[in-house]
Amino acid sequence: MSTVAVSPSNSISMLAERYAAVRAQSTALARPLSPEDACVQSMDDASPAKWHLAHTSWFFETFVLAQSNTNYTPFDPNYRVLFNSYYNAVGAQYSRPHRGLLTRPSLSDIHAYRSHIDTQMSRVIEGDIDPELAAIIEVGLHHEQQHQELLLMDIKHLLSCNPVAPAYIAHVERPVLATSELSFCDYPGGIIRVGADGTDFSFDNERPCHDALLHEYSLATRPITNKEYLAFISDGGYHNSLLWLADGWATVKKHDWEAPMYWRNTDDQWFEFSLTGEHPLVPNAPVVHISYYEADAYARWANARLPTETEWEFAANDTATHGNFVEHEYLHPQANGSTDLSHPTQLFGDVWEWTMSPYIPYPGFQTPAGAIGEYNGKFMSGQMVLRGGCCVTPHEHIRATYRNFFYPANRWQFGGIRLAR
Amino acid sequence: MSTVAVSPSNSISMLAERYAAVRAQSTALARPLSPEDACVQSMDDASPAKWHLAHTSWFFETFVLAQSNTNYTPFDPNYRVLFNSYYNAVGAQYSRPHRGLLTRPSLSDIHAYRSHIDTQMSRVIEGDIDPELAAIIEVGLHHEQQHQELLLMDIKHLLSCNPVAPAYIAHVERPVLATSELSFCDYPGGIIRVGADGTDFSFDNERPCHDALLHEYSLATRPITNKEYLAFISDGGYHNSLLWLADGWATVKKHDWEAPMYWRNTDDQWFEFSLTGEHPLVPNAPVVHISYYEADAYARWANARLPTETEWEFAANDTATHGNFVEHEYLHPQANGSTDLSHPTQLFGDVWEWTMSPYIPYPGFQTPAGAIGEYNGKFMSGQMVLRGGCCVTPHEHIRATYRNFFYPANRWQFGGIRLAR
Amino acid sequence: MSTVAVSPSNSISMLAERYAAVRAQSTALARPLSPEDACVQSMDDASPAKWHLAHTSWFFETFVLAQSNTNYTPFDPNYRVLFNSYYNAVGAQYSRPHRGLLTRPSLSDIHAYRSHIDTQMSRVIEGDIDPELAAIIEVGLHHEQQHQELLLMDIKHLLSCNPVAPAYIAHVERPVLATSELSFCDYPGGIIRVGADGTDFSFDNERPCHDALLHEYSLATRPITNKEYLAFISDGGYHNSLLWLADGWATVKKHDWEAPMYWRNTDDQWFEFSLTGEHPLVPNAPVVHISYYEADAYARWANARLPTETEWEFAANDTATHGNFVEHEYLHPQANGSTDLSHPTQLFGDVWEWTMSPYIPYPGFQTPAGAIGEYNGKFMSGQMVLRGGCCVTPHEHIRATYRNFFYPANRWQFGGIRLAR
Amino acid sequence: MSTVAVSPSNSISMLAERYAAVRAQSTALARPLSPEDACVQSMDDASPAKWHLAHTSWFFETFVLAQSNTNYTPFDPNYRVLFNSYYNAVGAQYSRPHRGLLTRPSLSDIHAYRSHIDTQMSRVIEGDIDPELAAIIEVGLHHEQQHQELLLMDIKHLLSCNPVAPAYIAHVERPVLATSELSFCDYPGGIIRVGADGTDFSFDNERPCHDALLHEYSLATRPITNKEYLAFISDGGYHNSLLWLADGWATVKKHDWEAPMYWRNTDDQWFEFSLTGEHPLVPNAPVVHISYYEADAYARWANARLPTETEWEFAANDTATHGNFVEHEYLHPQANGSTDLSHPTQLFGDVWEWTMSPYIPYPGFQTPAGAIGEYNGKFMSGQMVLRGGCCVTPHEHIRATYRNFFYPANRWQFGGIRLAR
């Protein structure tokens, strides 16, 4: 399939192993959830955990099982509509803002569905697998990893609506590391290569690899911390229209924003709601759950700007993708204690870093044929690119060329700030 | 307590028995529901089943346990806010349209809460009970019966949103009885007594008992059937503005109403969704789940009108309260097969009958002192009175003087039509 | 035409005179308005002055000229749609909330339209006029008087939106009269006659004249003043939910109401915007521009209630209709200086008095046949009755049986408070 | 002032002449409008013509007169708020969606305001003018030209809401020219200079002039015509979700779009509303009043794409800015009859051409200091760039580097399609 760069590592045994591992991780993430937790939808943008578990299975059923076997009998014909997210080419979809109304099928029905799909999929994977099919399975696994992150974002939002402030998992106290002073690294301009070259797996939106012109720039050595963001708040940042984009200012006024999404002020002390419950704000940790508008206003206040996605990628190209990912089970950004100011740190993990680049196609971008062509291309309007993954992203899901995207007003993803000049 | 007419039958042993029976009935109604079913809220007007189970217990905890024992320790201090419906005098309330977001406490937590309250309540009831306290307990039991009906209305709405059309309980086929031709009984005018005289339990809104002037009138011998309502639809009823109140017509246009709430047309055949799933429409059964606007338009089309609540009560005064109530477990209105045209039938049970009377206070009405004063009085604006109970009402909850009330656009309660002239 | 009680005074010469006088009054009311003032619509509920001038002429064109002459050529065929208010039986209507977009026809076009209609109408009136046609003309004149009041209400709202606070007409300083202490007159109960008996002109909603049962009651001798209403505000009236109907409290919160509609607080002093501009609040004058919800909450706070419309009418039956009407050109309610506490004063004029009676049909009410049947009947839902006329009502338009009606949240009409017990 | 590149041609005599000419043009454009036409606002995005006339004068009063003379007495102190568009640094603004409610000041008041400002301005211009002040005056004249175009866009929308379909100016029949077949011109890639170099006047958003990397591309020789767009409609373009961006498809469904904004279908024939009234659609003329979403969907349907703004500018750099501008008084796009396929035609005038480039700052962009810094920078979010001017743009206002910008759903500006590959 032309839309997917097939990695040479897709040997069948590795695929089977990866399939099992990724699928098991979804199940593991759902384990702390009650049937109620897994069913409810707390806002239009979010989906129930149960729906994520079902939809990722629907993806394999629709794009692999039904494609590879013309006699395939669906597990339940209703699921074709219920768990189709947005693929118009596949057919009708159950209304997105109503996903939380589906109390039936139950959570255990969905676990049975997953088992059924896994059994069927193992037959396909162990068979004489077509490389094009293997490539779609690979997409399906990366797709499931995206939904693992969404599941955690959405559960965090749901639990945050409960005045009892329940924790997704128990809190573990950890030593708080120091944070270095903010400094900047300089980069020269020139023509560079941008995007995925097809050596490893990539999504269609990372391709084609192409030349881009970079102007000289500097990039901050680490993300902005809560303490630094508090200085912006204390300086009246949320009340000074001159710091904001016009759309941003309208959004601040409409929602009465006064602080990042999950911050709460009680008796003049700041707390932050996290997947481990509500805790006092950690000054050294990266600020998180802010919108593009807030990141942009902060940067203006700090006499800086956000980087372009090309600037970010160039800096990240020669950096290892180590960082605070979902595997660490912190599920919250952390100060990293680094004192090395010679190059940017924490580019990967902790917080998705807003760039000033709107999410548009790369020169020469082609949407793949068929329903899979709806995967990315149709969202290339009105959203901004974020880079680097965060503390709820699977580590192996991320890479320097990876393009995430959200609307500038979105805050429920783990978005943070890295400055540029 | 002046707001409640204490019935002489409130001997302590009977109260204990009644308490146990009413509370057990709530638990029984929740039994067919999964934790997911019991948690989700399908529209702002509805509440989750779990919330109904908790709120009815909160009522006893707040108005009986905490009142009768100044050292009372609440089961969970969070519940004071979470399960307060609308009593501003008690304090803050968790936002009504967000009740469905409370995945915690879990359904089993709420069952534990119920047990705890029941244990505490039995101590109060078996003790040296104050008559005023006994009267509040009586209110609490009638209150819980109201929520039993709401629980079934709300679950019906929730399940109706699911394209799989799940049944709350299994369907039992029953013989369909015949329905007599529609005819009318005549009543003379004169001054009559209206409202509850205090002999038995009544809500404050049924009091004081007072004189009212009745003009000569006629009342239909039975409710309008699905077949009769279909004739209205076939005659273009939903497309002829001249049949409708202005607000009704605006509502029809806004929601594109073409039939009663749970009717569905597939391949030119009408089906009706019910608590036992989706089934072909039964022509002889009373039409149900229509708004006041539809009842009013139907009446105008049929050259009749809806009765006033006084006309209805006068006719009902000398009628036994037999009928199709929740205890029959039909959970849907039925044709009753009666051929007796000498007096109105089915005044009680089957469908709540819309009257043309706005819900306003009776002459001399006084809201009781304290929080309980918010029970009824503050809703006396913008709603219409319905009479007679329905197929999901507890039988012993109903009486001739009972006033139910809904907004004219509401359809999810079991509202139907009885004509007058 | 059965819908209109023809008054014996409808001799032709008197009709011609009345026609000329009423039509001239509309033109006079529009005189202080610029073409811009007459064109703009400041909210959905209001209409432009130009539209009122046109619609009242459309009424005569549609219901008199086109009915009496089958060869009648309309002044402009577009007007049939543009200036139809809500008569579905006549045909389509231009969207109500967009009436203010009709910059063409111009104000002078509409004046030409009015002249044309007047010329045609004088031929009809001077001819051998059919009594039924005379009766419709009579309705048309009362209809035009209603729109005269609406024109002033709507212009007041429009000018109030302008930060410059322009006056409709110049302010004339007048001596402020004293106001007596509030006291109550007692009335016995019994069966009384209610509604219009057909002696003089009446609208269909005032008929049929019928018996009603009155319970003993007391009625305040005058409306509530600004000073008294200020005491309610100072006592936290707008912040105490226990004083309000549930719908009223929701409305207060939604709109952040803190005072009557046109009150403005500058440097801790209260001003009131009026048709003669913004002026310091007059303590002794009746409070005006409050909703039903506010009237009801005030009454509860004052340990009283609002009267029923029957109670009001019984008291008004033997009172002369003198009062502060549009002819006085105050265009604002005034203290009347009366010290007579033996009977209610200011029942007529100054402020429309909210009653606790929902606007529903009288027993035996029939909507007239034809389009004119849409005049009143279809609005009998969700609104409350007000009685007595106000300072912008034509004096001869009002009578004891007159029923005005608005939604309980409406404030832009001149609504005030008279208490009952 | 660093924000404005001062053109060497700003000699004082030329400035006086230009000032007089631009100001006179605004007055001329308002001449066909009645006071009502000039007052009403037909949607939130539009402003009344009277407001445009006032605001452009406010600009000179605020940024020139009040700056250059510390004793300056404002014409009317209320105007500072009433006619401030969006300059938070200047102070409060009257609510934008309510501009149409300002029936006072009247149109003649505003004409008096304009005269007053012109008199004051001529003293400033004829005096010993500071170059920085001259530069602001230059901005003010370009600003006024922008509002001349807005005035025509807004009046077109207002008149289109009137079922009578009034014309702004009388229609003149013109010979319809032929249109060549669509073909493409090829351009090589490479590093080019983009943006304004400061030789002539430019807005801050056109600067700084900078290097950009161009990939090889082709550009259509002319805009898409109505006939071509009709083929897209006939092929089900508005009903095929696969052709649309996700946000575009949601917009199509929300507004039930079936054709460009001012197209109307009567008896199966297409008409188009224009500033000269409603006329049959001209097949050869460029399609106009489409959103970015429609332009993008059309391009996808045509196996092409929209150009980037850099691609457009490179092609336009060596093209004369001749074209159909406001001075031609067509006020509607025209076929140009060109048969030359060797280079793009109609790049300037007729229709603004949507590019696929989001409106973001050029590398190194700095917002100017002071209130004038709000002119462009704060809108660099969520909007798309359009290039080339249109049939209601003043000719001398346009240049190859000019960047216009609208939200992707906007249709009331004169937006059209030029394809690229």
Side-chain angles (χ1 to χ4, degrees), chain B residues 83-100:
Chain B
F83 301 122
N84 180 359
S85 51
Y86 54 66
Y87 294 88
N88 295 315
V90 173
Q93 300 122 44
Y94 183 69
S95 158
R96 181 186 174 122
H98 295 127
R99 287 175 185 168

Side-chain angles (χ1 to χ4, degrees), chain C residues 90-332:
Chain C
V90 173
Q93 299 122 44
Y94 183 69
S95 158
R96 181 186 175 123
H98 296 127
R99 286 174 185 168
L101 300 184
L102 298 173
T103 59
R104 327 267 180 104
S106 70
L107 182 55
S108 57
D109 290 338
I110 296 307
H111 281 305
Y113 179 42
R114 288 183 68 85
S115 296
H116 176 85
I117 296 301
D118 289 348
T119 307
Q120 301 285 317
M121 283 294 295
S122 64
R123 284 192 202 133
V124 170
I125 292 172
E126 282 155 19
D128 184 12
I129 195 167
D130 179 90
E132 229 177 75
L133 209 58
I136 300 183
I137 295 171
E138 192 65 34
V139 172
L141 294 174
H142 286 269
H143 170 258
E144 182 137 357
Q145 288 180 319
Q146 291 180 312
H147 280 275
Q148 289 166 3
E149 177 164 343
L150 286 165
L151 185 152
L152 290 173
M153 283 160 56
D154 294 354
I155 277 296
K156 183 169 180 175
H157 187 267
L158 170 61
L159 297 178
S160 80
C161 298
N162 193 320
V164 175
Y168 164 70
I169 55 168
H171 189 62
V172 178
E173 279 300 333
R174 299 176 204 274
V176 176
L177 299 181
T179 299
S180 58
E181 281 302 293
L182 191 67
S183 64
F184 285 80
C185 289
D186 298 331
Y187 293 86
I191 289 185
I192 63 160
R193 292 295 285 172
V194 165
D197 62 7
T199 313
D200 293 309
F201 174 84
S202 61
F203 282 117
D204 55 3
N205 63 9
E206 301 168 58
R207 299 188 304 266
C209 191
H210 61 283
D211 283 347
L213 180 63
L214 214 51
H215 299 264
E216 218 177 307
Y217 70 105
S218 306
L219 198 67
T221 49
R222 59 160 176 76
I224 294 303
T225 62
N226 287 326
K227 187 178 165 184
E228 286 159 344
Y229 199 81
L230 268 171
F232 167 73
I233 296 178
S234 305
D235 195 38
Y238 281 96
H239 298 274
N240 179 1
S241 68
L242 301 179
L243 295 171
W244 297 79
L245 289 164
D247 286 354
W249 185 242
T251 306
V252 165
K253 294 285 105 184
K254 182 177 169 190
H255 299 297
D256 291 324
W257 284 350
E258 298 273 356
M261 187 176 203
Y262 293 120
W263 288 27
R264 295 156 182 193
N265 198 307
T266 307
D267 299 335
D268 259 333
Q269 203 196 332
W270 283 107
F271 294 83
E272 191 173 17
F273 179 76
S274 74
L275 281 162
T276 64
E278 189 175 308
H279 305 289
L281 191 69
V282 175
N284 283 347
V287 67
V288 69
H289 293 296
I290 57 164
S291 64
Y292 174 76
Y293 298 132
E294 289 161 298
D296 171 83
Y298 180 87
R300 191 166 294 113
W301 174 81
N303 290 312
R305 60 173 176 84
L306 301 176
T308 66
E309 62 169 323
T310 310
E311 290 168 344
W312 191 98
E313 184 169 328
F314 183 64
N317 268 334
D318 52 352
T319 306
T321 61
H322 298 151
N324 171 17
F325 290 107
V326 72
E327 291 79 4
H328 285 67
E329 298 185 2
Y330 295 176
L331 310 186
H332 204 72

